[in-house]
Amino acid sequence: MPASRPVSRVLGLGLLSRPVSRVLGLGLLSRPVSRVLGLGLLLCDLLACAPTIRTPLKQALPSVTGDSAVTAGPCLGEPARIDLGGPAVSGALADLDGNGVEDLALAVTGSGGGAAVFLLHDGQGGLKQSMRVPIPQTPTALAAGDFNDDGLDDLAIGAADPPALHVLLARGRGEFIAGATPLRAAPAALWVAKLDGNDSVDLLALDQGGKAVRALLGDGHGELTEGKRSGLPVAAQPAALTLVDADRDRILDLAVLGDSRREASITLVRGDGRGNFSKTIQRRVVGSGARALLGAPLAGDDGHDLLALVDSAGPGAGSPVAAVLVNNGPLEYSAVGYFVPGPLGDATLADLDLDGDLDLVTAAADGSAVPVVPGDGRGGFGQARSRGTAGLGTAVVVLDGARPTVLSFGPGSQQLHAFAVTRCGG
């Protein structure tokens, strides 16, 4: 999620109340985009003419507000372990059996070939492997969304050798109809979103190598058509790219966290409402050593905020930092930084302790621990707590329910680790 963006998110634009589940809203107010005719203007759009802002990051103590409640926060118990028969390269949350409870689907590789592995959730944190669907190619990414508009969660699985997209359309009760379409490049990650101005669910695919994205536009009947290639301003890891309406025009834009000249910066690339991304509209330096980038309503508003995880506040500064950028209006951000454990691999946001505020859940880059940082709902974060155990993956996702469960998996592990969430000191 990430693992090549280990978990694809289906996010809600402007209505997002949690980091996982439901669809990124698209531009209902479509507007014409000017054609770039001159080479100089084209290079300007792609590379150099957007303003660069060196974001001052105040190193905050446990919480911006000093709220003592944020310091209690969630803790993780000892994990349950489930053997997967191979490392999971990607995963997604979906209601696989139609009972109204989110389950987990994983894309797993192994000596016997790839497979989609389904694990059903009992709603109380328990998981049980239900079926294994063989994939004739090497899986690279997995996402969940309603691609044929029937109210059921379908699956899309990117694959290599040769590049293809496998679509599993749900029929209910855990049954699926499979189909596949060839692609120009194997996806390293997939995001579910509405990209082209209609009500059909689409996909955004990151090419392996991280240098470009491609829209896979849905027709509402389960078919997805590959769109144009949009080059990225910097090569991006799957964990370091997200979709956000940065300029608040109701059209999704790309936010890319990458390294250039020893600086980690967030580059915002405008979407045109047709699945294309080309014009760089802003670049914000947030530290050094890019790790992961998340978009979510961190300050309790309508969800245009960003959180960047970097190795340090600057070259040679040392301690890893979570840089929180609270969106105050179109392309307007205020920023504050928090020291976090590191180096980190993947990250996600979820309300672990059910207090209404999003908490930061991360995975150590070496697979040694899952650090959790409680949030205060106003852009502030408290003291991190880590649960270490051997053999963890570098991808992390949170399974919602009456008892939220933190799930760890990834290329470095052949097991799924499931951590029950408790309240610290409770």
Side-chain angles (χ1 to χ4, degrees), residues 40-52 233 280 283:
L41 290 177
L42 177 61
L43 290 174
C44 178
D45 275 356
L46 292 178
L47 298 174
C49 297
T52 296
T280 298
R283 179 175 175 265

Side-chain angles (χ1 to χ4, degrees), residues 30 73-74 88-89 140 152 181 212 248 315 324 336 340 360 372 417:
S30 267
V89 298
T140 58
L152 301 176
T181 185
R248 299 204 181 194
V324 178
V336 64
V340 294
L360 175 63
V372 174
H417 291 75

Side-chain angles (χ1 to χ4, degrees), residues 43-127:
L43 290 174
C44 178
D45 275 356
L46 292 178
L47 298 174
C49 297
T52 296
I53 300 173
R54 297 190 177 278
T55 304
L57 295 175
K58 174 185 175 184
Q59 298 300 333
L61 293 172
S63 167
V64 165
T65 62
D67 187 347
S68 60
V70 76
T71 63
C75 283
L76 304 183
E78 287 292 330
R81 296 170 174 83
I82 300 174
D83 289 325
L84 299 175
V89 298
S90 187
L93 301 178
D95 181 5
L96 298 174
D97 53 1
N99 67 349
V101 177
E102 280 190 330
D103 309 301
L104 177 67
L106 294 173
V108 174
T109 60
S111 57
V117 175
F118 296 172
L119 297 109
L120 300 183
H121 182 213
D122 63 8
Q124 299 295 320
L127 286 166

Side-chain angles (χ1 to χ4, degrees), residues 5-361:
R5 186 63 177 161
V7 177
S8 302
R9 304 284 187 258
V10 187
L11 307 175
L13 175 60
L15 299 175
L16 179 61
S17 61
R18 53 182 179 144
V20 177
S21 281
R22 299 324 122 203
V23 177
L24 277 167
L26 48 118
L28 299 177
L29 303 178
S30 267
R31 52 188 174 82
V33 177
S34 301
R35 293 183 178 271
V36 180
L37 301 178
L39 177 60
L41 290 177
L42 177 61
L43 290 174
C44 178
D45 275 356
L46 292 178
L47 298 174
C49 297
T52 296
I53 300 173
R54 297 190 177 278
T55 304
L57 295 175
K58 174 185 175 184
Q59 298 300 333
L61 293 172
S63 167
V64 165
T65 62
D67 187 347
S68 60
V70 76
T71 63
C75 283
L76 304 183
E78 287 292 330
R81 296 170 174 83
I82 300 174
D83 289 325
L84 299 175
V89 298
S90 187
L93 301 178
D95 181 5
L96 298 174
D97 53 1
N99 67 349
V101 177
E102 280 190 330
D103 309 301
L104 177 67
L106 294 173
V108 174
T109 60
S111 57
V117 175
F118 296 172
L119 297 109
L120 300 183
H121 182 213
D122 63 8
Q124 299 295 320
L127 286 166
K128 181 180 179 181
Q129 186 169 324
S130 68
M131 62 186 298
R132 193 178 188 93
V133 180
I135 300 172
Q137 296 150 280
T138 303
T140 58
L142 188 149
D146 184 5
F147 301 118
N148 58 352
D149 199 26
D150 63 355
L152 301 176
D153 286 344
D154 310 310
L155 297 175
I157 303 169
D161 307 319
L165 183 74
H166 297 263
V167 178
L168 306 182
L169 297 178
R171 301 179 61 188
R173 304 176 305 280
E175 299 177 354
F176 292 83
I177 300 173
T181 185
L183 298 177
R184 296 186 185 92
L190 295 168
W191 290 261
V192 175
K194 291 184 176 181
L195 298 173
D196 62 350
N198 60 31
D199 288 331
S200 300
V201 174
D202 310 309
L203 287 170
L204 183 72
L206 175 67
D207 285 359
Q208 287 190 331
K211 295 182 179 180
V213 294
R214 302 168 191 267
L216 303 171
L217 302 178
D219 65 356
H221 303 287
E223 297 287 338
L224 292 114
T225 302
E226 188 171 8
K228 296 179 180 179
R229 176 184 185 274
S230 296
L232 297 179
V234 292
Q237 296 296 321
L241 187 150
T242 192
L243 288 157
V244 65
D245 184 11
D247 51 6
R248 299 204 181 194
D249 63 353
R250 298 184 63 80
I251 296 174
L252 288 172
D253 309 306
L254 277 179
V256 184
L257 177 67
D259 290 313
S260 178
R261 298 178 182 177
R262 302 181 66 198
E263 292 180 328
S265 61
I266 299 172
T267 304
L268 301 174
V269 185
R270 178 169 285 135
D272 67 359
R274 293 172 292 185
N276 304 311
F277 304 87
S278 61
K279 182 179 178 59
T280 298
I281 49 180
Q282 194 175 98
R283 179 175 175 265
R284 287 183 169 265
V285 177
V286 292
S288 179
R291 289 289 179 173
L293 182 65
L294 302 168
L298 297 171
D301 56 12
D302 50 1
H304 306 277
D305 307 324
L306 293 168
L307 187 149
L309 296 173
V310 295
D311 287 341
S312 66
S319 298
V321 169
V324 178
L325 278 70
V326 176
N327 183 256
N328 302 312
L331 300 177
E332 295 180 6
Y333 291 90
S334 57
V336 64
Y338 298 85
F339 293 116
V340 294
L344 299 173
D346 187 30
T348 189
L349 290 156
D351 183 7
L352 292 187
D353 50 6
L354 305 181
D355 65 352
D357 302 327
L358 292 177
D359 308 306
L360 175 63
V361 186

